[in-house]
Amino acid sequence: MSIDPYAWLEQSLETIHRADWYRSVQTIDGLCGATVLLEGREVINFASNDYLGLAGDRRLITAGVAATEKFGTGSTGSRLLSGHRELHRELEKAIASLKQTEDALVFSSGYLANLGAIAALVGKRDLILSDQYNHSSLKNGAILSGAAILEYPHCDITVLKNQLIEQRENYRRCLILTDSVFSMDGDLCPLPALIDIAAEFSCMLLVDEAHATGVMGKTGAGCVEHFNCTGKQLIQIGTLSKALGSLGGYVAGSATLIDFLRNRAPTWIYTTGLSPADTAAALAAIEIVQQEPQRRSQLWENVAYLKKLMQEQVSELKLLPSESPILCFQLPTAADALKAGKYLKDAGIFAPAIRPPTVPTSRIRISAMATHQPTQIEKLVDALREFVNY
Ligand SMILES: *Cc1c(COP(=O)(O)O)cnc(C)c1O
């Protein structure tokens, strides 16, 4: 008897289709920005993490091209072998200066920064407490570490505290994991309360600033700055691929933490260093974040305008609570969310449907950019109003 050992793949895909969970890529053409060519048609882009509009900025492009000319396309090895360049160190110093931390370490992506840091910091004898809405990279980092994992209900400090009262003494080290801006909801973690709890129960606290860096806080340092927690002992993770318009991730914190991770984080040690182009582009982006606060003010003006128009004109669409440029409204089913996404796309608006298993409930996710014009925001709200009446 021979059964095709791969036959389950097709059955599995059929199940995904039946649940309206099937996903496929959509091709974007041309330079990224507030408008993009989506499958050949120009649409207004509300689907991008490029909050400050830097991914298409001439200065980042020039920096990337210049670094490629000077150093080549690849970094050719892991940082500990042949892949380390002074440019990497410059970027790490720039991140540490933005974050006001002693040091920082650059990874090849934010996902890898989370996997590597979490796996290095805790193991079998330890406990992880994790917000139920945390990003996939935090969840998988927790699994990779081998530590015991307890999820707490979204932002629920009371449950977290009770879990610690009951469980803390059974473990050696304890690590609390949280997104700072929740990536599929747009709300913020209760950072000051988390810092207090971490101190009370002698836990490490890791905050993922992926959607906050460049966006939140007076200088764009992130939610830690937004909550006036700069200088507190924390493990800050982030990405170079969202507001910073490049590719890569980082950990920022104490010099000891960073020195330890260089010796113990498997996703840093056993992977190729960041390419010269990505490194130089991110470095140029951090400079712009620090020197052009008006980009951040413009982003927040756009967020306020969008929220105001939506409340005035499409109050039927219930926005999830958000304190970030990420605005979501829920729809009853995955099929409804797909329909809404398709309707908007036909109206020239790119705002994707987000469905399970990424999130528990289906929604349309809108992200504002500093480079959106008021007329583009008005067009989005016009399209939403037509959708509601449709
Ligand atoms: C996007 C994201 C990441 C992953 O960052 P990449 O650099 O894209 O790998 C990690 N955490 C959160 C919360 C994110 O939103």
Side-chain angles (χ1 to χ4, degrees):
M1 184 182 82
S2 94
I3 296 171
D4 176 1
Y6 302 98
W8 68 273
L9 285 169
E10 255 181 61
Q11 289 156 15
S12 199
L13 269 172
E14 270 166 34
T15 309
I16 294 171
H17 273 293
R18 268 199 305 276
D20 286 313
W21 286 16
Y22 184 74
R23 298 145 185 247
S24 59
V25 296
Q26 307 185 70
T27 308
I28 302 273
D29 208 353
L31 201 62
C32 45
T35 60
V36 285
L37 283 177
L38 178 62
E39 299 184 321
R41 257 186 72 225
E42 187 173 293
V43 290
I44 308 171
N45 188 6
F46 289 98
S48 170
N49 297 320
D50 183 20
Y51 298 108
L52 301 176
L54 293 180
D57 189 285
R58 274 291 136 203
R59 292 164 289 182
L60 270 72
I61 296 170
T62 307
V65 170
T68 305
E69 293 284 358
K70 196 166 172 193
F71 304 114
T73 47
S75 72
T76 79
S78 99
R79 292 276 297 282
L80 289 174
L81 291 175
S82 59
H84 177 69
R85 299 273 189 178
E86 188 52 32
L87 200 56
H88 291 127
R89 228 15 229 158
E90 280 171 42
L91 175 57
E92 288 167 347
K93 283 180 186 154
I95 293 166
S97 132
L98 177 68
K99 292 271 168 185
Q100 301 282 298
T101 56
E102 285 175 3
D103 207 349
L105 187 64
V106 172
F107 287 68
S108 302
S109 76
Y111 207 113
L112 289 172
N114 273 327
L115 292 187
I118 297 166
L121 291 168
V122 286
K124 283 196 182 67
R125 295 158 62 196
D126 305 321
L127 175 65
I128 284 176
L129 293 147
S130 177
D131 189 291
Q132 72 176 136
Y133 285 1
N134 275 343
H135 188 261
S136 159
S137 54
L138 292 169
K139 295 189 176 194
N140 280 326
I143 293 168
L144 182 65
S145 76
I149 304 165
L150 286 174
E151 283 203 337
Y152 56 89
H154 185 46
C155 293
D156 194 331
I157 291 294
T158 313
V159 171
L160 171 63
K161 192 165 176 172
N162 285 334
Q163 287 171 333
L164 280 164
I165 290 169
E166 280 172 23
Q167 297 288 336
R168 178 67 187 94
E169 66 181 12
N170 300 329
Y171 296 91
R172 181 183 58 169
R173 295 195 279 266
C174 180
L175 174 65
I176 301 172
L177 302 179
T178 187
D179 283 16
S180 68
V181 172
F182 284 87
S183 57
M184 294 299 142
D185 295 79
D187 56 343
L188 310 184
C189 75
L191 187 63
L194 288 171
I195 289 176
D196 288 347
I197 286 195
E200 184 181 344
F201 292 90
S202 184
C203 303
M204 299 178 283
L205 174 57
L206 183 153
V207 210
D208 184 339
E209 294 264 57
H211 288 274
T213 305
V215 171
M216 306 293 300
K218 195 156 164 280
T219 70
C223 268
V224 174
E225 182 185 33
H226 170 81
F227 283 115
N228 281 321
C229 296
T230 309
K232 299 265 184 195
Q233 223 191 10
L234 284 169
I235 299 153
Q236 295 186 54
I237 307 277
T239 178
L240 308 173
S241 68
K242 287 174 177 147
L244 300 180
S246 180
L247 182 68
Y250 63 82
V251 181
S254 73
T256 315
L257 168 74
I258 298 306
D259 205 22
F260 174 79
L261 292 178
R262 272 193 292 261
N263 286 276
R264 278 284 190 274
T267 60
W268 187 80
I269 299 171
Y270 302 104
T271 196
T272 303
L274 209 58
S275 81
D278 292 324
T279 313
L283 195 51
I286 291 177
E287 213 164 277
I288 295 171
V289 163
Q290 292 178 310
Q291 287 172 3
E292 297 179 4
Q294 65 272 24
R295 281 183 176 264
R296 210 159 26 259
S297 337
Q298 187 60 56
L299 171 63
W300 287 108
E301 268 177 44
N302 288 353
V303 172
Y305 188 49
L306 173 56
K307 276 189 174 171
K308 175 175 166 284
L309 288 188
M310 284 192 71
Q311 271 149 19
E312 285 171 4
Q313 300 189 24
V314 280
S315 52
E316 301 89 333
L317 297 177
K318 254 188 74 199
L319 285 177
L320 295 177
S322 162
E323 292 168 80
S324 74
I326 301 167
L327 299 178
C328 298
F329 60 89
Q330 270 179 325
L331 289 152
T333 67
D336 293 323
L338 283 177
K339 250 183 259 164
K342 168 92 172 41
Y343 186 93
L344 292 172
K345 191 168 137 188
D346 291 343
I349 302 289
F350 186 18
I354 310 286
R355 292 164 284 161
T358 306
V359 287
T361 53
S362 296
R363 64 200 65 184
I364 291 288
R365 179 175 181 272
I366 298 163
S367 39
M369 291 173 70
T371 46
H372 282 137
Q373 299 299 313
T375 52
Q376 295 174 323
I377 295 169
E378 288 154 16
K379 277 191 187 144
L380 164 66
V381 178
D382 287 345
L384 290 173
R385 203 179 43 236
E386 282 158 25
F387 168 72
V388 169
N389 298 324
Y390 157 68

